[in-house]
Amino acid sequence: MSLHEYKRKRNFGRTREPAPEGSARAGRAIFVVQLHHASRRHFDFRLQVGDTLRSWAVPKGPSYDPKVKRLAVEVEDHPVSYADFEGDIAEGYGKGHVDLFDRGVWATRGDAEAQLHKGHLVFELFGERLKGTWHLVRSGRKERQPAWFLIKADDAYAGDVEADDLLDATMRESTRRAAKTPAKRSAAARATARDKVVPKVRKVSTAVLTKAAVALDGSHKAKASGDFFAPQLARLREVPPQGDAWLHEVKWDGYRIVATLLKGKARLWSRNGLPWNERLPEIVQALEALGLDSARLDGELIALDGEGRSNFNALQRTLSGEAQAPLVYMLFDLPFIQGHDLSRVPLIERKALLQRLLAHAPAHLGFSSHTVGHGDDVFAMAMEQKLEGIIAKRVDGGYHGGRGDDWQKIKRLESDEFAVVGYTPAKGSRLAFGSLLLARPNGKGSWTYVGRVGTGFTDAMLRDLGDTLARGGTKKPGVRIENIDPMLRGALWVQPTVVAEVYFRGIGNKTLLRQPSLKALRVDKSIGDLGDSDRTPAKTRTAGKTAKRTGAKAPAKKIDSDDTIIITHPDRLVFPADKISKQDVVDYYKQVMPWLLPGIHDRPTSTIRCPGGIDSPCFFQKHMVAGLEHTGQAKLKEETGAQAVYLYPRDETGVMELLQFGAVEFHPWGSHVDSPDVADRVVFDLDPGDDVAWSRVVAAARMTRGFLADLGLVSFVRTTGGKGLHVVVPLNPGAAWKEVKAFARGFAEALAAAHPLEFVATATKRFRQGRIYVDYLRNGRGATAVASYSLRSRVGAPVAVPLRWEELGKVRSGAAFDIRSTPKRLARLKKDPWEGIDSVKQSLDSVTRKLAGQ
């Protein structure tokens, strides 16, 4: 869709509205409704279709009454970044104030463009204010602009509620200032209306469910928890087990999701414990509509195509924003309900209670039905309907996390998971790359090449992989790979971090996959999962033959007691000149973790990754990439106005995962993910010219400290692991980045003006000879500074180390401490050199008042 009209109608030198460039958004397709106080007050209703927001102006706003047809005038498409726009349009087209009324994700069964072309789009909204099914119907009237009607479907959310009833105080004040009045209802009436925007669904009595749970043999009372629980996993078998001791279900082609309910609030998790609430608001709403106080549920997230069938491709495209297919959570187990642990209750009885619970559940929750016995017939039915396969489960089995023989899967198509170890360059019109190169761990500390896959990719996958995985490969593998095809000329190799699931037609000559086709990039799995094989020691099917499968993991060092992170290739040299291995780096960070973590915890953090060691290409990474599962992810706005998913360490496990991915250095923001626009650190980087003696750097730091003290600011000092020092000023309360950057620049320039022979405040190299550059540019939104106790990717493995001001004169250089001496220093310390930094109460407001007083 074109944004030509959007650009034609606006002067981006005057309007605050976002320019269309760089407006792509990762994640599910969104909707947004904005209240626009233009010359005529109206609601702008926008649906993301592809890379743009299809837009309609709705003068009276959406109504929950199915009998009301609200006029919706089609206007020009808007960029996706417009969803974040609020504030004043000062002049020109659309002049007036804009408030965000609602936003969320949306879904439709079938192709959205085709429905719009026909003139009738049926869709669901999952927002805070707008929910349920709606219709957009094109009017037959001839108008200057295409006219549509926005109509609420007669569903569980329908009722006597108008858009004006749902305005919050800010929106009502904007309406008042614009001299327009909302619908004439009292505040109490509006509050009552908001309370009505909940689904009217029949619920099974919680008392009845609790009584039924208590009566089950094996049930016992237990403390409810909203935390992640490990799902039960299945082993792959060639044929279904026989007899009535087994029940058989459809193998749903989707993503495994476990859910918890605690005090009525739902939390969703991937199979490896990643939170999924943000991605699946419709599932969260549906689970909470069950009315349970506590529960644990297990199931598979699937997408429905236009004919109501499960479609894995549609699921992936919906989660990436390329499509808007309805999602359903197919539930097949209930190991906990209403304060009662059912994990020892026979499966057949757990499922009976689950089916009872879901008897009147919202449409986004489904029950995975089963057949007891008749495994061959069920599998034959799955073959006939071209399903992926079936799952066989012991009728009397309990529920336990991890893989075992109580659950077995039998597939129609042969598929397996492999690590991506490289790619071939793109040819012709192909985007990003030609094919991905695959390998599996062979149990000998190396990898076995199994072939390449070049089909099954969507355009979005090609673009995403082109920006992440298929960039910066090396001509030689960074890991030992056996069985490489000698015909692979021009291939580029990458570290094995991404898991690909591939369909294939058996194993051919030289143990290469026959006719492989990509099924999915498994963002819910890591290469550590390749060692947790779902295959049994028995022979598995190939094309007319049988072949032994090796699923053993490569030798690796375990990091912690629960084996959360496996460090592969621990002997690889990260600092070759110093004979420092990957395991040495991991061991160092484990030793300093209590000191490192407070400085990076919950802060957006860029890492410098050196997968092949510091002598090979290293790169700066700040955004999430496929394969990271224990590292925090925060969707933050960039300076362009677009949003991106930034990584941040939440705990020791997250740090270890980043080390497994080749991270050497950590560079946090001066703010936290929950308040990214508020800085709580000011960092002055004192960077000496090549001919500046270290004693002058020490004197410069002390001078900087003195000037800051004159302004009433306490400061702290650390070595950088390089040539200079950092002087760090904590702020509590914090300040907006614009204010912090202005202060840092003014201070640096004042320092340079007062002592021009010592300091310079410009980055230009020719001005820095013989002087110390006061780098204030680390104090902007998105800028970073090296973390305390972070290694530096330089010969000698130096470390950035906090100091007491009293010991600064004893330090020989900015790289005085390294990977070996730093842990010894910490072992000798009686207290933290930066003790109290988080409790210092000081702000830039006090500086402003002090300067004003002077």
Side-chain angles (χ1 to χ4, degrees):
M1 285 162 282
S2 172
L3 293 173
H4 172 75
E5 278 298 294
Y6 177 84
K7 291 186 283 188
R8 185 184 68 79
K9 293 180 176 181
R10 289 163 176 81
N11 182 341
F12 294 105
R14 294 183 175 182
T15 183
R16 293 179 55 236
E17 297 167 284
E21 289 74 23
S23 67
R25 177 187 297 270
R28 294 190 57 187
I30 63 170
F31 82 90
V32 63
V33 180
Q34 289 151 320
L35 177 57
H36 190 176
H37 298 286
S39 57
R40 293 184 179 179
R41 174 182 180 269
H42 63 274
F43 292 77
D44 287 313
F45 183 82
R46 312 187 196 281
L47 298 173
Q48 181 186 349
V49 182
D51 291 333
T52 60
L53 293 173
R54 298 292 295 269
S55 300
W56 293 262
V58 186
K60 294 185 179 180
S63 171
Y64 270 91
D65 187 345
K67 298 188 290 294
V68 174
K69 296 181 180 180
R70 282 288 152 81
L71 177 65
V73 179
E74 186 173 352
V75 296
E76 72 275 10
D77 295 344
H78 282 49
V80 177
S81 56
Y82 205 94
D84 299 318
F85 179 71
E86 285 189 279
D88 293 317
I89 302 173
E91 57 182 280
Y93 177 73
K95 178 181 178 180
H97 184 76
V98 176
D99 284 313
L100 177 63
F101 175 77
D102 198 15
R103 71 179 299 163
V105 301
W106 72 285
T108 183
R109 182 168 293 183
D111 184 83
E113 274 295 339
Q115 293 180 71
L116 288 169
H117 181 72
K118 286 184 177 181
H120 186 184
L121 175 67
V122 184
F123 58 98
E124 286 185 272
L125 299 179
F126 309 101
E128 290 186 18
R129 293 179 169 86
L130 300 181
K131 302 176 182 180
T133 302
W134 301 74
H135 298 263
L136 264 172
V137 182
R138 188 188 293 127
S139 167
R141 296 186 298 184
K142 297 290 184 181
E143 302 283 352
R144 185 171 61 88
Q145 291 174 282
W148 297 66
F149 291 110
L150 179 64
I151 309 167
K152 183 72 185 74
D154 190 6
D155 62 6
Y157 287 98
D160 181 22
V161 179
E162 300 295 327
D164 280 330
D165 298 329
L166 302 173
L167 299 182
D168 62 21
T170 301
M171 296 177 216
R172 289 198 295 274
E173 176 61 19
S174 295
T175 297
R176 186 193 65 76
R177 287 200 309 267
K180 304 289 190 295
T181 57
K184 295 181 179 179
R185 294 194 184 191
S186 67
R190 284 194 295 267
T192 301
R194 287 194 294 274
D195 290 341
K196 291 180 180 178
V197 185
V198 294
K200 295 179 284 294
V201 296
R202 290 177 61 189
K203 301 175 184 176
V204 180
S205 165
T206 54
V208 171
L209 288 171
T210 303
K211 185 177 180 181
V214 171
L216 295 175
D217 186 25
S219 168
H220 62 277
K221 289 191 71 172
K223 184 178 180 180
S225 169
D227 295 335
F228 168 76
F229 63 95
Q232 186 160 345
L233 304 175
R235 290 205 184 278
L236 184 66
R237 295 286 194 182
E238 184 176 352
V239 295
Q242 303 299 307
D244 291 343
W246 296 86
L247 62 79
H248 306 276
E249 303 170 347
V250 167
K251 185 181 186 304
W252 299 105
D253 201 3
Y255 281 139
R256 185 73 172 275
I257 297 290
V258 297
T260 61
L261 280 159
L262 184 64
K263 297 181 180 178
K265 296 298 181 182
R267 298 176 72 184
L268 305 178
W269 316 84
S270 72
R271 69 190 295 275
N272 282 331
L274 288 177
W276 271 54
N277 276 45
E278 277 193 23
R279 299 189 190 192
L280 306 173
E282 65 268 64
I283 307 302
V284 172
Q285 291 174 13
L287 287 171
E288 292 178 352
L290 294 174
L292 296 177
D293 179 71
S294 63
R296 288 184 174 184
L297 302 109
D298 192 357
E300 190 93 353
L301 180 73
I302 63 172
L304 301 177
D305 61 17
E307 298 180 11
R309 294 178 301 194
S310 170
N311 186 311
F312 189 81
N313 182 258
L315 175 62
Q316 284 207 307
R317 295 180 68 238
T318 297
L319 293 176
S320 69
E322 294 179 87
Q324 300 85 24
L327 302 183
V328 176
Y329 187 24
M330 296 299 301
L331 292 158
F332 45 66
D333 215 324
L334 181 67
F336 189 100
I337 187 171
Q338 295 297 92
H340 288 80
D341 187 338
L342 308 185
S343 61
R344 300 176 190 171
V345 172
L347 172 62
I348 194 73
E349 297 181 26
R350 296 198 305 273
K351 292 204 68 177
L353 186 59
L354 175 63
Q355 187 173 19
R356 192 172 177 180
L357 169 66
L358 299 175
H360 307 292
H364 292 281
L365 302 180
F367 174 71
S368 182
S369 59
H370 58 267
T371 300
V372 175
H374 308 285
D376 289 338
D377 295 334
V378 177
F379 186 63
M381 177 274 296
M383 298 300 97
E384 182 180 344
Q385 296 187 16
K386 297 185 178 179
L387 301 176
E388 189 182 7
I390 65 172
I391 300 287
K393 301 177 181 179
R394 289 192 183 276
V395 166
D396 60 354
Y399 188 96
H400 52 84
R403 202 176 300 282
D405 292 321
D406 282 359
W407 289 16
Q408 300 178 10
K409 56 185 173 184
I410 304 92
K411 293 184 179 181
R412 178 176 68 92
L413 288 175
E414 185 80 1
S415 72
D416 206 348
E417 294 159 358
F418 307 94
V420 177
V421 293
Y423 61 95
T424 59
K427 294 181 180 179
S429 61
R430 180 66 178 256
L431 294 170
F433 60 90
S435 59
L436 296 181
L437 310 180
L438 308 175
R440 63 155 56 97
N442 58 19
K444 299 183 293 184
S446 59
W447 297 78
T448 297
Y449 176 74
V450 297
R452 50 179 147 175
V453 58
T455 61
F457 298 92
T458 66
D459 286 347
M461 283 184 191
L462 290 170
R463 285 194 300 269
D464 182 56
L465 289 169
D467 290 339
T468 54
L469 184 69
R471 175 177 286 185
T474 58
K475 293 184 178 180
K476 293 184 178 180
V479 296
R480 190 153 56 93
I481 302 177
E482 301 176 357
N483 198 42
I484 294 179
D485 187 346
M487 300 302 291
L488 272 179
R489 297 187 181 93
L492 294 170
W493 302 89
V494 299
Q495 292 296 311
T497 59
V498 175
V499 174
E501 185 172 0
V502 176
Y503 290 125
F504 54 94
R505 301 290 181 181
I507 307 294
N509 293 333
K510 301 181 181 178
T511 68
L512 299 180
L513 305 178
R514 296 179 59 223
Q515 301 177 27
S517 174
L518 183 75
K519 175 186 175 183
L521 292 174
R522 298 308 301 241
V523 296
D524 56 332
K525 296 187 178 183
S526 68
I527 60 169
D529 292 316
L530 298 180
D532 180 21
S533 176
D534 61 10
R535 298 178 180 273
T536 65
K539 295 182 179 181
T540 56
R541 291 171 295 148
T542 62
K545 298 180 180 181
T546 58
K548 288 282 187 180
R549 293 299 179 98
T550 58
K553 63 181 76 169
K557 178 133 181 177
K558 294 178 181 178
I559 277 299
D560 46 26
S561 59
D562 63 355
D563 302 343
T564 302
I565 302 297
I566 300 295
I567 299 298
T568 58
H569 311 292
D571 298 329
R572 181 183 299 134
L573 292 180
V574 178
F575 296 85
D578 303 286
K579 307 299 183 187
I580 295 172
S581 69
K582 183 177 181 181
Q583 189 61 54
D584 293 330
V585 170
V586 170
D587 290 342
Y588 164 77
Y589 276 113
K590 286 192 70 178
Q591 287 177 288
V592 303
M593 190 65 67
W595 306 79
L596 168 82
L597 202 54
I600 60 177
H601 173 258
D602 284 353
R603 294 180 184 269
T605 299
S606 300
T607 65
I608 292 182
R609 290 174 58 192
C610 304
I614 67 168
D615 290 349
S616 299
C618 297
F619 54 93
F620 209 62
Q621 182 184 329
K622 60 183 179 179
H623 295 147
M624 288 294 291
V625 295
L628 289 176
E629 299 180 347
H630 302 279
T631 305
Q633 49 185 316
K635 188 178 290 185
L636 303 176
K637 187 183 295 185
E638 299 188 310
E639 290 188 7
T640 61
Q643 284 192 324
V645 180
Y646 285 77
L647 62 86
Y648 68 92
R650 293 178 298 195
D651 49 28
E652 178 177 351
T653 303
V655 174
M656 288 299 160
E657 180 177 55
L658 291 168
L659 296 177
Q660 162 60 12
F661 273 56
V664 176
E665 300 187 23
F666 295 86
H667 294 251
W669 286 24
S671 59
H672 288 78
V673 292
D674 56 357
S675 53
D677 297 318
V678 179
D680 59 7
R681 292 282 191 275
V682 185
V683 178
F684 294 103
D685 183 1
L686 304 181
D687 186 7
D690 293 335
D691 53 348
V692 175
W694 174 248
S695 59
R696 287 177 58 193
V697 181
V698 172
R702 289 170 173 162
M703 193 181 304
T704 302
R705 180 195 188 193
F707 280 122
L708 289 167
D710 290 343
L711 295 174
L713 295 174
V714 175
S715 59
F716 297 76
V717 67
R718 72 175 164 221
T719 65
T720 63
K723 296 187 299 179
L725 292 168
H726 282 171
V727 177
V728 180
V729 180
L731 297 179
N732 184 15
W737 279 113
K738 184 177 180 180
E739 183 182 352
V740 169
K741 189 171 184 179
F743 164 73
R745 178 175 181 173
F747 183 88
E749 291 176 345
L751 200 60
H755 299 277
L757 297 180
E758 287 297 319
F759 299 106
V760 63
T762 177
T764 307
K765 290 262 187 184
R766 59 192 176 91
F767 295 139
R768 294 166 59 180
Q769 284 205 320
R771 290 185 285 182
I772 296 168
Y773 170 43
V774 185
D775 184 357
Y776 62 85
L777 297 175
R778 310 208 174 262
N779 302 290
R781 191 181 187 282
T784 63
V786 69
S788 297
Y789 304 105
S790 171
L791 287 168
R792 306 308 301 269
S793 51
R794 301 168 183 172
V795 173
V799 177
V801 174
L803 305 171
R804 290 179 290 109
W805 280 108
E806 295 77 15
E807 62 181 330
L808 179 56
K810 301 176 184 178
V811 175
R812 300 186 307 275
S813 74
F817 301 97
D818 60 26
I819 191 172
R820 296 184 176 92
S821 63
T822 302
K824 294 177 182 178
R825 166 183 164 80
L826 295 177
R828 293 194 302 269
L829 288 178
K830 295 182 179 179
K831 66 177 183 178
D832 186 348
W834 281 14
E835 185 177 36
I837 189 171
D838 293 323
S839 59
V840 173
K841 301 292 185 183
Q842 60 185 18
S843 72
L844 294 185
D845 290 341
S846 62
V847 175
T848 303
R849 289 193 298 270
K850 188 176 184 68
L851 293 175
Q854 291 176 348

